Amino acid sequence: MKMRGMYSGRMVLALGLLAASLSVQAEPLRVVSSFSILNDMVKEIGGDKVMASTIVPANGDAHSFEPRPSDAKTLAKAQLLVVNGLEFESWLPRLQQAAGYKGPQVVATEGITPLAFEGGADDHADHDHDHDHDHDHDHDHDHDHDHDHDHDHDHDHDHDHEPAHDHAQDHEHAPEKDHSGHEHSHQHGSQDPHAWQSLDLAQIYVRNISKGLEQADPANAQYYQGRAKDYAQRIQELDDSIKTRLQAVPVDKRKVITSHDAFSYMGKAYNIRFIPLVGVSSQAEPSARDIAQIIQQARSEQIQAIFVENTVSAKLVEQVARETGAKVGGTLYSDALGVPGSGVDTYLGMMRSNTDQLIKALQP
């Protein structure tokens, strides 16, 4: 009887250890993304196998973002970091240093040939605002069209996993100076970092993120591959839909003014001419000469619409609209998603909404 009790106890202990082991294995991969658009892509591909969080929140401006102590704590716990690259996250090296993060990193734009920002390093003087959309992208297309289901849906899975980012309660900013005592700027280099504004290039984002998840969590590689394939299909379906819908707008009418230079990739993809009020950084300040040139250009070319953006002040847009008589269109989402439940809280929802606003303003 005593021997039977001993075996029973050992069995309970073994089962307990097995359960604990399975529990550890089942913990989702902790993935931190630099801003909300990448965070949504991670959720789409990672599903319930990841715990996704973002540094720059919804409606946050990554150009002027200043990391907070809570961001360093979040990054310190990450098992994978996903960033855009192309000098978009100028604040990231300081945050990584503060967090002590030395783990794996996915650069979502790896393999993309970026468009050149004509002004160079956000120097907007003498910028003629006339973007050439004849650049070539150095990548191949391997979209899978095996399934033609139409499920370009907005997802809401895994949002409960996202750690709360209470930026309002964090009043301490991470240091804004380097070791020499100079203030850090939020400028970009000569390359346009907003490649996600092309659904075609978003396919490269998907492949890079999927590869990063697979390498960080090999046990679930097949799961990530399957979700990435499904997501790529929905991106392709939306891309095809936008091209079809834009046929209703004559090419010579596809001219709009936007707050900052964030839509060149979309312009190239769909033959739309975006005339920005400021450079690649939303924090750049246009000169009086720049504004006068845009107003003159808008009048002479009879540009019909000017758009505000969710991360940029509308004051300058409203001034130019008054001077030119152009109507203020809806809000375009450039560098960040909207809040949950807004309809623009996913990447696909954002791209769909931007297209709706453009067509509504430009359609004859």
Side-chain angles (χ1 to χ4, degrees), residues 331-333 343-344 348-358:
T331 300
L332 295 183
Y333 287 75
V344 285
L348 294 184
M350 178 193 83
M351 295 299 291
R352 190 183 302 109
S353 174
N354 284 349
T355 304
D356 290 344
Q357 297 299 334
L358 289 165

Side-chain angles (χ1 to χ4, degrees), residues 25-286:
Q25 292 176 9
E27 285 186 5
L29 185 71
R30 296 185 300 277
V31 184
V32 172
S33 297
S34 58
F35 68 116
S36 58
I37 293 171
L38 294 182
N39 188 50
D40 179 63
M41 291 181 174
V42 168
K43 288 178 178 179
E44 281 284 8
I45 300 165
D48 60 8
K49 304 299 183 185
V50 303
M51 187 189 327
S53 60
T54 180
I55 299 298
V56 183
N59 286 327
D61 186 356
H63 298 285
S64 62
F65 182 74
E66 296 179 3
R68 302 168 187 265
S70 62
D71 298 318
K73 291 177 183 177
T74 298
L75 182 56
K77 298 176 183 178
Q79 295 171 289
L80 181 66
L81 172 63
V82 180
V83 304
N84 186 74
L86 299 179
E87 301 181 57
F88 183 65
E89 301 97 343
S90 61
W91 41 266
L92 185 61
R94 290 180 291 118
L95 178 60
Q96 287 178 286
Q97 184 177 17
Y101 181 79
K102 297 180 180 179
Q105 178 173 303
V106 173
V107 179
T109 57
E110 184 177 351
I112 290 175
T113 300
L115 298 180
F117 170 56
E118 293 179 6
D122 283 340
D123 178 10
H124 212 260
D126 298 321
H127 188 253
D128 63 7
H129 307 284
D130 191 2
H131 292 279
D132 182 359
H133 300 304
D134 293 328
H135 302 274
D136 292 325
H137 296 298
D138 185 16
H139 66 280
D140 42 66
H141 305 270
D142 58 354
H143 314 317
D144 193 317
H145 296 278
D146 289 344
H147 39 292
D148 57 2
H149 53 284
D150 185 10
H151 62 295
D152 184 15
H153 57 273
D154 290 335
H155 65 286
D156 57 6
H157 62 270
D158 199 40
H159 286 277
D160 291 339
H161 288 151
E162 185 171 343
H165 247 34
D166 194 355
H167 291 273
Q169 294 181 7
D170 277 331
H171 298 292
E172 284 187 45
H173 297 295
E176 275 294 295
K177 296 182 179 181
D178 59 21
H179 296 296
S180 65
H182 293 102
E183 294 290 343
H184 288 277
S185 70
H186 297 285
Q187 295 183 343
H188 297 293
S190 60
Q191 298 177 328
D192 187 341
H194 303 87
W196 63 84
Q197 289 291 346
S198 163
L199 283 161
D200 189 31
L201 295 181
Q203 301 284 4
I204 295 181
Y205 279 65
V206 171
R207 290 198 290 272
N208 286 334
I209 293 171
S210 179
K211 182 179 177 181
L213 292 174
E214 293 162 32
Q215 291 176 345
D217 182 18
N220 290 309
Q222 190 172 358
Y223 175 84
Y224 298 134
Q225 290 167 5
R227 291 185 65 89
K229 180 179 179 181
D230 176 80
Y231 189 38
Q233 176 68 21
R234 285 185 280 135
I235 290 174
Q236 184 62 49
E237 289 169 359
L238 181 57
D239 190 22
D240 293 341
S241 172
I242 290 174
K243 289 174 181 175
T244 299
R245 294 181 62 199
L246 277 169
Q247 291 176 5
V249 181
V251 174
D252 63 346
K253 298 295 184 184
R254 298 181 194 176
K255 294 180 288 188
V256 298
I257 297 173
T258 56
S259 299
H260 85 293
D261 199 355
F263 296 96
S264 291
Y265 290 94
M266 188 177 189
K268 176 178 171 56
Y270 304 117
N271 203 3
I272 302 171
R273 190 166 165 218
F274 289 95
I275 301 168
L277 292 175
V278 299
V280 171
S281 171
S282 61
Q283 297 303 299
E285 289 292 336

Side-chain angles (χ1 to χ4, degrees), residues 305-308 327-331 357 361:
I306 181 169
F307 289 88
V308 297
K327 63 182 176 182
V328 178
T331 300
Q357 297 299 334

